[in-house]
Every structure is written in C-alpha cells, then in structure tokens.
C-alpha cells in the first residue's frame, strides 16, 4: 500500500473512531480547540505529559503491552495531528503503533491535562529539558507540569520524571507538587530515566538492556511493575534512590560521548600515522572491559542528548565544586571533529571554493531520524554558506528541517541529482541508501572528490576506479 493511501485510510479509521464517541469544544480559558473525550471520565493506567520522542514512544509502548494510556500535550496542533493518526515526530514504526493502539482503544491523545491527570494512576512527565543559554538544562516545562499535576492531585498517584534532569530536581518537583496540591495530598515521586535512541526508539523500548527506577517507595515500585509488566522482567531492574537515578542518566550519556570523542581523536591520529582505525577498534571491541558499542569514528556526535547532557553535567559538576576537566575536553574535541571534513576538503580542493560545487549527503544527526539538532552537517553548512561555493544537499527525510535553517542551499530531490556535476561529495550521515553510490558514482561524467566521514563506502574500490577519496581514520586506504 503506498504512503498516501495508508495515510488516508489511517485518517479515516481514526476519524470515524473518534467522531463516534468524541466531541470538540472551545476551551473557556483560551481560543484553542480542546479535545474533550467521553473516555476522559474513565480511568487510565498512565497519563504521559509531553508528546516528543520520549513521551510518544513510551505512551505508545505502554499501550501496546496492555495499559490504557493517555498522552498529553499543551500544543493543540500536535494533539490534532496525533488524533488523525499522524506522528509529529519521524520515528520508524511509530505511526503503525499509534494506529494499532488507538483502534484497540488503549491509546488516547488530549490537551486536557487536568481531567487526564485526575483520572490516571501513574503520571509521567516527559517534557523537554533543552539546554538553556547558561548551558544548564532548562527545567521550566518540568516545573510547569509539576504545578499542573499538583493542582489536579485528587488521589494517590505515582508521579514519574522521565525527562533528563539534573541531580536534585526530584526534590524541587516534590516541593512544587506539595505546594500546589490540595491539603494531605498523597503521591510518590519516581525518577525514571529513559535510554532510548532516536531511529531505533521502538525497538529500544521493547528491548531494554536495563531499567532504572529511582524511589524509596515500595508501593510505587509495585505499581510500576504492574504497568511495565514484562519490560521490567526482561532486563535487570535497578531500584535506586532518586538522585542516583538522576546521576545515572547523565553518567551513561556523558560516558558514551567521551568514548566517541576518544575514538575520533584516535582516528585523527590514525590518519596522520598511516594506520587503519577500523583494525584498531576491531581489537578494542574484543576486550570485554571496553565493549564493542560506541567505538565508531565519525564527524562528531550530535543529536538532542549527548551535547546537551555533557554540557549539563559540566554545569552540575561545577555546582558541586568538581572541575569537569575531561568533559570540557570532550566538548572541545567534538566541536573540532564536527569541522574535520572541511579541513579534508580544503586539503584536497584548496581553500578557494568559488565556482566549486560541493554536495553534502546526510543532514540529520544520524540515520533513521529527521532530527537535525546538533547535526555535524549543520556545522559544515554553516561554514560553506559563507563561501562562494555552490552547495547541494540531500537527505532522505531531513531536508524540510534543514531548509528552515539554511535557505540558500540547493536541496536535491534524489541522490542522483545531488551527486551530478559535483566537485566534492561529503557524506555526513550513514543512511543505508547512500551505499547505492557504488553503482551511481561510476556512471557520472565528472568524477567528484569523495569524503566519507561515516565509513560506509568501499574507498579502496572507488580509488581503483580513479576517484580521489578520503575518510576519517582510514586515510591509509585512500592514498
Ligand atoms: C542517545 C543515547 O544513546 C540514548 O540512550 C539517550 O536516551 C539519548 O541519547 P541518540 O541521541 O538518539 O541517543 O543517538 P545515538 O545513537 O546514541 O548517537 C548519538 C550520536 O553519537 C550520533 O551523532 C551518532 O552518530 C554518534 N555516534 C554514535 C558515533 O559517532 N559513534 C558511535 O559509535 C555511536
């Protein structure tokens, strides 16, 4: 079934399902159209506040394993989209999961926070904690959600913080809820960090390597066990204190970011020393003390988590009078790495890019997502747009997002269009379709220079065909 037909059918099913039992009315407080569903008078096992990557994947996943879930957002546009079966985020498999669970009446979407909170046993805060101007996590959305929860606390509830928050946030959130709730309100606050990766978020949700629950309440743990069912049995369950859970999340992301920054520096050494980094990491991966994950060299880590979380941990350490020497260098090293492809470009083609056509392949921070937050492609484009080069760019899904940031780039509709008549191609994201370059490149009239920062092409083979090629950490194979 093609995408258009699938979307139309999906919208029809959702529309008929909801128009049967639902009504829309104007909210008294503002002009937003607020979704009011008769289902709101029923009880929910879980309500999730925030329909970003974390909230939406968690809510759909909990519905899939048999819970009755309502996902909430103050953005009525997002809720309207979701009620029409359209996901506001690009995540493989999410729309199928939403369709399945809205049809089976396990999953609902609403802007009505008050009623949904009142009618739920577990309330999960999954709002964004973006990096503030001072480098610290901006907790305003968390505090606002906490106040709304407090005001609507009509019975005992387990309140979970899923968002990534600095150490001690659980105390502040507990105080806000207590200060805003009716007298003698009863709740437990659980720190429940999330570890899913964009692009594989659904797989990660159903296949956790471990689960972390931060609380001192046995009652809350038992309720969460009944909600998370097998997901808590599938992998080790670590029950720790709230501040420990908060620290674990930053520690894991910052350690992985450190591992990548280390490998990238090693890759740069390998380039200068005539060594192949992939042979080095292959051996490192066999050492169980190191492990095989997050050893892939590249153009620097990006995304919504690693850069933000390392920066936030730097601030947390400073607040606790610890000098974050390693993490500061991780950030510095990553900033350098994000522009290393440009250094290689200038080395191969010269500094003057006037009348040169440069193609950027991959705009998202990694494959499987349209997220361009902190994407290395952004840093590269930022510098290229200042030159007089003709810039072409292609990404299977992230062009609309990047067009909003850089309008002067010539965005192409296909890989073929992007690589034709180009002087240099820089691969920045490991999209699988880019391996088609092996078939497409030999057909080109003009042979471009190829800089493969993601190590997805057989550069030796391309070199044999007369292409000038370069990589990160494998330059010895290109000379
Ligand atoms: C990360 C964490 O993995 C996840 O547990 C957390 O919940 C959110 O942050 P995500 O940002 O979605 O997930 O992507 P991830 O796959 O971890 O990659 C992060 C960045 O590191 C990307 O830019 C990726 O390209 C880069 N990376 C990853 C490498 O450069 N080398 C690697 O070996 C792995």
């Amino acid at each position: 079934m093609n995408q258009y037909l699938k979307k139309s059918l999906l919208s029809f099913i959702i529309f008929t399902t909801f128009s049967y039992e639902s009504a829309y009315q104007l909210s008294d407080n503002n002009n937003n159209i607020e979704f009011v569903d008769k289902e709101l008078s029923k009880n929910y096992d879980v309500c999730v506040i925030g329909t970003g990557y974390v909230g939406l994947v968690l809510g759909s996943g909990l519905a899939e394993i048999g819970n009755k879930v309502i996902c909430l957002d103050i953005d009525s546009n997002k809720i309207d989209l979701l009620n029409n079966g359209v996901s506001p985020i690009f995540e493989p498999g999410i729309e199928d999961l939403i369709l399945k669970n809205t049809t089976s009446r396990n999953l609902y979407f609403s802007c009505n926070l008050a009623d949904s909170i009142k009618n739920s046993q577990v309330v999960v805060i999954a709002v964004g904690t973006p990096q503030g101007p001072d480098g610290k996590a901006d907790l305003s959305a968390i505090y606002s959600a906490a106040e709304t929860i407090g005001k609507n606390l009509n019975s005992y509830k387990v309140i979970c913080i899923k968002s990534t928050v600095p150490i001690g946030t659980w105390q502040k959130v507990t105080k806000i809820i207590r200060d805003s709730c009716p007298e003698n309100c009863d709740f437990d606050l659980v720190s429940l960090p999330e570890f899913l990766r964009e692009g594989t978020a659904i797989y990660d949700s159903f296949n956790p390597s471990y689960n972390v629950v931060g609380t001192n309440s046995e009652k809350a743990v038992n309720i969460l066990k009944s909600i998370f069912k097998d997901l808590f049995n599938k992998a080790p369950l670590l029950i720790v204190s709230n501040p420990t859970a908060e620290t674990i999340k930053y520690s894991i992301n910052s350690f992985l970011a450190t591992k990548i920054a280390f490998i990238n520096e090693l890759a740069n050494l390998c380039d200068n020393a005539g060594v192949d980094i992939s042979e080095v990491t292959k051996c490192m991966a066999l050492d169980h003390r190191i492990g095989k994950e997050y050893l892939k060299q590249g153009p620097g880590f990006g995304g919504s988590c690693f850069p933000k979380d390392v920066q936030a941990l730097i601030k947390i350490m400073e607040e606790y009078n610890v000098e974050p020497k390693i993490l500061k260098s991780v950030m510095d090293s990553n900033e350098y790495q994000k522009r290393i492809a440009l250094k290689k470009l200038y080395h191969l083609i010269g500094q003057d890019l006037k009348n040169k056509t440069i193609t950027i392949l991959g705009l998202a921070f990694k494959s499987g997502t349209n997220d361009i937050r902190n994407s290395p492609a952004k840093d590269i484009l930022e510098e290229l747009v200042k030159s007089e080069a003709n810039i072409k760019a292609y990404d299977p899904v992230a062009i609309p997002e990047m067009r909003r940031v850089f309008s002067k780039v010539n965005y192409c509709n296909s890989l073929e269009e992007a690589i034709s008549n180009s002087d240099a191609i820089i691969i920045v994201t490991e999209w699988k379709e880019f391996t088609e370059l092996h078939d497409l490149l030999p057909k080109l009239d003009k042979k471009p220079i190829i800089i493969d920062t993601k190590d997805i092409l057989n550069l030796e083979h391309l070199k044999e065909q007369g292409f000038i090629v370069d990589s990160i950490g494998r330059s010895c194979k290109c000379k």
Side-chain angles (χ1 to χ4, degrees), residues 447-465:
K447 276 192 164 64
I449 286 167
I450 301 154
I451 301 170
D452 176 10
T453 72
K454 287 305 231 178
D455 194 19
I456 58 171
L457 298 180
N458 184 337
L459 295 180
E460 279 172 292
H461 188 55
L462 288 169
K463 194 180 74 175
E464 279 162 23
Q465 293 175 10

Side-chain angles (χ1 to χ4, degrees), residues 54 164 194-200 204 210 249 252-253 256 260 264 292-306 309 365-367 374 376 430 454:
V54 172
T164 302
E194 179 62 67
F195 301 100
L196 55 79
R197 295 161 300 171
E198 287 178 29
T200 52
D204 290 351
Y210 49 87
K249 173 68 198 226
I252 288 176
N253 275 0
L256 293 173
I260 297 167
N264 284 339
K292 64 181 185 331
E293 307 285 349
Y294 288 76
L295 284 184
K296 191 74 195 171
Q297 76 283 1
F301 58 77
S304 64
C305 291
F306 283 2
D309 292 351
F365 82 94
K366 64 173 190 178
S367 60
N374 298 300
E430 68 282 25
K454 287 305 231 178

Side-chain angles (χ1 to χ4, degrees), residues 57-195:
V57 174
L58 174 77
S60 315
L62 290 180
E64 175 72 10
I65 57 170
N67 296 290
K68 197 161 186 177
V69 180
I70 185 153
C71 291
L72 308 168
D73 208 293
I74 50 168
D75 184 341
S76 60
N77 293 326
K78 276 189 178 180
I79 295 301
D80 285 347
L81 278 176
L82 286 162
N83 277 322
N84 283 296
V86 180
S87 170
I89 56 158
F90 176 89
E91 183 62 39
I94 191 74
E95 287 192 346
D96 290 341
L97 205 59
I98 290 171
L99 174 63
K100 185 173 170 217
N101 287 285
T102 45
T103 309
S104 67
R105 306 194 145 267
N106 268 356
L107 183 61
Y108 298 84
F109 298 102
S110 173
C111 287
N112 186 336
L113 272 69
D115 287 340
S116 311
I117 292 165
K118 282 181 188 143
N119 295 337
S120 298
Q121 185 187 25
V122 174
V123 181
V124 181
I125 304 176
V127 296
T129 53
Q131 189 175 320
D134 54 0
K136 292 183 189 173
D138 176 354
L139 300 178
S140 49
I142 296 269
Y143 295 154
S144 157
E147 202 179 323
T148 309
I149 295 168
K151 283 181 183 155
N152 294 289
L153 210 57
N154 56 343
S155 59
Y156 170 82
K157 293 183 199 306
V158 177
I159 301 164
C160 306
I161 306 180
K162 249 299 168 197
S163 317
T164 302
V165 292
I167 308 166
T169 305
W170 67 281
Q171 274 169 322
K172 291 180 189 152
V173 169
T174 303
K175 185 172 180 327
I176 292 171
I177 297 172
R178 267 207 202 295
D179 289 350
S180 47
C181 72
E183 235 174 88
N184 299 326
C185 62
D186 189 14
F187 68 94
D188 280 309
L189 190 90
V190 179
S191 304
L192 200 65
E194 179 62 67
F195 301 100

